[in-house]
Amino acid sequence: MSAHDQTRRQLLKAAALLPLAATCGGLARAAGRLSPGSSVPVRFAVRLERPGRVVSDTLTGLSYETGQLADPAFFSADNHALVQLFRALSPHGVLRIGGNTSDYTVWSEHRGELPVQRTHKGGPQQPVVLRPEALHALAGFLRATGWNLVFGVNLKIGVPAMAAELSKAVKQIVGDDLLAIQIGNEANNYESDYAAFDAAWAPYATAIRETDVPIAGPDTGANTDWVIEYANRHGADNVFLSRHYYREAAPKGSIPDLLGGDAEFCAEIEQVMQAADAHHLPFRLTEANSYYLGGRDGVSNAFASALWGADFMLAMAQRGVAGIHFHGGTLESVEASLGRSADTAAAASDLSARRDAVTSRYSAIAGNVELGFQPRPLFYGMSLAQQFAGARMLHGQLDAGSANLTAYAAQRDDALLIALINKDAAHDASVSLAGLNGYRKGRLMRLRAPALESRHDVVFESDADAGSAVVVDTHGLCHVELPRGSAAWIRLLRSV
Ligand code: BDP
């Protein structure tokens, strides 16, 4: 290590100890003053003449275990704190109910043959008994939030008649807020190949379609080829296509790994989108998050997950994905889905830490009915991406130099939106924006926290009142300083 590196490390350590305002608001300047020239020059040229995809209004989604419905007080219009957090995330979000526990559910009203419960290595050890009161409460929750529903019924352990009855009941109780029923959760984990899945799935689909309820799928954990094959065989009978995404298993999680990006998955999504477009169907990532097995403590619930979440949503939206459902919920519900305990959390003392402790590590919202609810860092990353819902993406040319930074642009009505996400732990960025001709001025809003490791103290400036002024010069250029480990979104207005 050079003497310069040594000094720099000490200075960075000192900067990390600064209070929030100084660290976040002025980190670029502070670091710049302490270590001249440490900012990496970045250039992002927006191509106003090259429009891309329209981002769905329903981009923001969440996913919870069916087992979460065991307590009807959780998804209920009376759970005001949770209703308020869902509404704050999106006015048109989509809640997906499913996960491993959906494959082990027994509908209490079913009077016919019951599925034979088998004990499996991993996965739920107990069936979830789903009762009508939970569905009525869920319907009230959806009305109170304005969210729609995607609901998963059994395939792994099920009988088609029970799945059809449950689907019909969901439709009757939830009404038009139901977007679709999905059959089975991650069948790629228990069916040997696509043909075996299709053969198992077909009688369920037939029984459910007889009840006139819309279906979607295949809700596979991975296997892009399954999605394509499913689209080819059943596209005409489905309202959207789906699969899941996790970056890796929790024990393999780390902040550098999470922020490293996933170019391979982006390429897979481009393949999926070709199939979706060919069948004129939306594609949704009905279950996704950073690390499976409940998430990685100190990563999935740290500020790094906010930058990852914002970047992941926008990268997916840019490629045409209609919705991303971040999986989460109580630790109890996720541990039940895994049949084992998840990554352990730090001992809990104050209310906020106790809420964290009872929640799966990757959940965007922490808490339970007894303790109340609060946003996690990921919540704010989702909120940044949500600013792009309904806008039309624009192409742009990014030269990030040596910085781990991503950039997105979109147009909505008279506004130009830009998101800049500096995932770099070591470099501030000095960003030159170009191609902004026709836009004069606007506001810049930041997403920041004391450190990538921060579990709390996230600041997200969600509306223009909170931001700072930016001005575009007569050449369509504008300059933004973006401290390491932070993001910003800019809203520019046309010159009049
Ligand atoms: C997914 C399952 C979900 C689990 C999650 C996890 O659908 O039920 O909770 O993995 O491992 O594959 O965290």
Side-chain angles (χ1 to χ4, degrees), residues 146-388:
W147 282 45
N148 282 337
L149 177 71
V150 171
F151 191 92
V153 296
N154 323 44
L155 173 68
K156 184 178 184 178
I157 300 178
V159 283
M162 187 181 80
E165 278 172 38
L166 174 55
S167 304
K168 197 171 161 192
V170 173
K171 175 71 188 170
Q172 267 168 0
I173 295 170
V174 165
D176 289 343
D177 290 341
L178 175 69
L179 280 190
I181 292 287
Q182 298 201 105
I183 303 162
N185 176 69
E186 301 191 346
N188 59 307
N189 290 333
Y190 53 86
E191 296 293 354
S192 53
D193 55 19
Y194 182 80
F197 162 70
D198 203 279
W201 174 92
Y204 286 79
T206 306
I208 291 169
R209 265 201 307 269
E210 274 166 18
T211 67
D212 225 12
V213 178
I215 63 166
D219 209 47
T220 169
N223 307 67
T224 288
D225 54 326
W226 282 36
V227 185
I228 296 169
E229 180 102 41
Y230 181 91
N232 290 338
R233 292 205 197 185
H234 307 295
D237 302 326
N238 277 253
V239 294
F240 65 80
L241 301 171
S242 65
R243 62 159 278 181
H244 297 175
Y245 173 79
Y246 287 91
R247 193 177 160 77
E248 248 301 347
K252 295 196 177 154
S254 72
I255 289 179
D257 175 67
L258 185 60
L259 296 182
D262 195 340
E264 216 174 282
F265 185 67
C266 287
E268 275 194 53
I269 285 303
E270 283 163 19
Q271 276 179 39
V272 168
M273 285 311 304
Q274 280 180 15
D277 289 345
H279 294 275
H280 307 289
L281 285 174
F283 170 75
R284 304 186 71 85
L285 284 169
T286 38
E287 188 187 314
N289 219 315
S290 46
Y291 296 103
Y292 62 90
L293 298 179
R296 172 84 188 196
D297 192 43
V299 180
S300 303
N301 49 4
F303 182 59
S305 70
L307 299 182
W308 166 77
D311 184 37
F312 182 68
M313 281 179 83
L314 291 173
M316 293 297 111
Q318 190 174 49
R319 289 167 176 79
V321 176
I324 296 107
H325 300 255
F326 290 93
H327 197 57
T330 59
L331 187 62
E332 196 185 3
S333 73
V334 170
E335 286 188 334
S337 85
L338 299 171
R340 54 179 275 181
S341 47
D343 208 4
T344 51
S349 48
D350 62 10
L351 178 61
S352 156
R354 282 168 60 210
R355 286 174 178 162
D356 262 342
V358 297
T359 309
S360 54
R361 308 300 162 227
Y362 45 38
S363 189
I365 297 173
N368 63 19
V369 173
E370 189 200 337
L371 298 172
F373 296 85
Q374 66 199 25
R376 282 259 184 81
L378 174 59
F379 181 97
Y380 297 105
M382 295 173 68
S383 303
L384 190 154
Q386 165 66 21
Q387 307 301 325
F388 282 65

Side-chain angles (χ1 to χ4, degrees), residues 469-480:
V470 285
V471 178
V472 179
D473 73 14
T474 48
H475 304 290
L477 302 172
C478 149
H479 193 85
V480 171

Side-chain angles (χ1 to χ4, degrees), residues 2-31:
S2 71
H4 172 80
D5 285 346
Q6 180 86 50
T7 324
R8 191 175 148 73
R9 269 168 58 122
Q10 280 161 2
L11 293 172
L12 291 179
K13 226 166 141 191
L17 298 174
L18 291 173
L20 176 64
T23 312
C24 299
L27 183 59
R29 263 168 293 127

Side-chain angles (χ1 to χ4, degrees), residues 354-436:
R354 282 168 60 210
R355 286 174 178 162
D356 262 342
V358 297
T359 309
S360 54
R361 308 300 162 227
Y362 45 38
S363 189
I365 297 173
N368 63 19
V369 173
E370 189 200 337
L371 298 172
F373 296 85
Q374 66 199 25
R376 282 259 184 81
L378 174 59
F379 181 97
Y380 297 105
M382 295 173 68
S383 303
L384 190 154
Q386 165 66 21
Q387 307 301 325
F388 282 65
R392 180 178 287 280
M393 284 289 191
L394 293 167
H395 289 267
Q397 187 160 357
L398 176 68
D399 177 3
S402 56
N404 178 12
L405 183 148
T406 53
Y408 302 89
Q411 239 165 352
R412 187 176 35 222
D413 307 325
D414 272 348
L416 177 65
L417 306 171
I418 296 173
L420 300 169
I421 304 168
N422 186 357
K423 299 185 289 173
D424 208 301
H427 297 105
D428 306 328
S430 205
V431 187
S432 300
L433 297 171
L436 311 177

